[in-house]
Amino acid sequence: MLSYLRPNMYVESLDSISPMQLQELGIKGLIIDLDNTVTPWNAMEVGPKVTRWFKGLKQYGIKCCVASNNSEHRVAGVANALGIPFVYKAKKPRRRAFHQALKVIGTGINDTAVVGDQLFTDVLGGNRLGMYTILVLPISKREWIGTRFMRCLERLVFWAMDLPEGAKVRR
Ligand SMILES: [Mg+2]
């Protein structure tokens, strides 16, 4: 069970994922979570660093799709502003939305990574399909009450896990 919750990479934020490194790993597509990964929870504005990072991905030919458990209105607002496709009400960690996102960007399980701030939705979902998974630190501490509950379970998992050296899991 723990192995399904273990990300392949730990980073502080989206913009610390280097497109060049992704390319070296053979990753051609990213399925990216929205809340507390791209923007603070339920916020519409995307920071300048993140905007630049998305542009950088384009230059490297890495395709992106946002996959979020949030509503259509919420997800479309941010994804359209960034000019990237999206899947809403994704019900992660269920597999369907990940398959949908792969179809949208036209990449496969072996050359696509899942990026997100939560173990029980993003990382678990990606690992269930055998995709490469990248955990980012949540942008802010403000979150939905259900997520706050899951953070308690995450803490237990991190405690039980052998974390790689330098892995940051908490702000
Ligand atoms: Mg999130």
Side-chain angles (χ1 to χ4, degrees):
M1 179 63 191
L2 267 190
S3 65
Y4 272 113
L5 292 168
R6 192 185 297 277
N8 295 102
M9 193 193 283
Y10 298 80
V11 294
E12 278 202 57
S13 55
L14 276 187
D15 58 287
S16 40
I17 306 169
S18 129
M20 204 194 286
Q21 193 184 358
L22 293 176
Q23 207 175 44
E24 280 164 12
L25 287 165
I27 290 167
K28 297 190 176 108
L30 292 178
I31 298 173
I32 306 175
D33 171 52
L34 180 61
D35 286 298
N36 265 336
T37 298
V38 176
T39 67
W41 176 62
N42 260 347
M44 282 307 197
E45 75 279 3
V46 182
K49 277 186 181 172
V50 172
T51 307
R52 264 201 305 276
W53 179 76
F54 274 105
K55 278 189 188 149
L57 287 182
K58 234 180 215 165
Q59 282 163 3
Y60 277 80
I62 296 167
K63 302 242 175 74
C64 297
C65 182
V66 165
S68 168
N69 288 352
N70 216 324
S71 66
E72 180 177 15
H73 171 74
R74 155 78 182 135
V75 185
V78 179
N80 287 339
L82 285 166
I84 53 179
F86 60 92
V87 177
Y88 62 95
K89 285 194 182 154
K91 299 201 176 102
K92 293 177 286 184
R94 290 173 73 174
R95 279 172 275 218
R96 208 177 125 225
F98 293 101
H99 283 301
Q100 255 175 287
L102 287 174
K103 227 185 207 169
V104 167
I105 52 182
T107 54
I109 277 166
N110 295 324
D111 57 7
T112 308
V114 175
V115 189
D117 68 301
Q118 284 196 63
L119 288 188
F120 288 95
T121 53
D122 309 307
V123 174
L124 177 59
N127 283 346
R128 283 179 79 198
L129 282 166
M131 285 190 273
Y132 194 88
T133 48
I134 303 174
L135 183 71
V136 301
L137 292 184
I139 291 176
S140 87
K141 284 199 168 149
R142 257 192 82 232
E143 3 198 39
W144 179 55
I145 187 156
T147 309
R148 285 210 295 262
F149 170 73
M150 295 312 284
R151 294 292 182 202
C152 301
L153 296 185
E154 281 188 351
R155 248 171 254 149
L156 273 177
V157 172
F158 287 131
W159 174 79
M161 237 182 219
D162 254 338
L163 291 170
E165 211 177 310
K168 271 202 169 185
V169 293
R170 198 106 49 85
R171 284 224 177 262

